[in-house]
Amino acid sequence: MAYPPEPANSALPATGFIREKRLIPTYAPFSSATLWRKVKSGDFPAPVKLSPGVTAWRCEDVHAWIANQGKGAHQ
């Protein structure tokens, strides 16, 4: 699957957290519903609940998922 190019000013940080709004479609090229299906099936990293209204993904987990896409994993 081809991924859209990352905008020059919004590279995925090496560490920290990323919210769904920034994750889709730049780093996860699918819909919100597909993202949550992939999380449930284990094909995408699970998010972390930072507070009652804030859910985010660890950037390290997203980097690892992206790296594995070219290796045939999680497809």
Side-chain angles (χ1 to χ4, degrees):
M1 173 180 289
Y3 294 92
E6 296 178 11
N9 62 349
S10 67
L12 182 62
T15 63
F17 295 93
I18 185 169
R19 306 267 320 262
E20 182 177 345
K21 185 175 180 178
R22 277 200 57 217
L23 188 62
I24 297 172
T26 305
Y27 305 106
F30 31 75
S31 70
S32 178
T34 298
L35 171 69
W36 288 104
R37 275 193 299 272
K38 287 179 174 287
V39 166
K40 184 176 180 180
S41 71
D43 291 331
F44 196 83
V48 176
K49 193 78 163 166
L50 299 177
S51 70
V54 179
T55 300
W57 281 259
R58 288 183 181 91
C59 291
E60 297 93 327
D61 294 346
V62 177
H63 278 290
W65 178 82
I66 291 169
N68 285 331
Q69 294 312 291
K71 298 177 184 175
H74 303 290
Q75 291 184 2

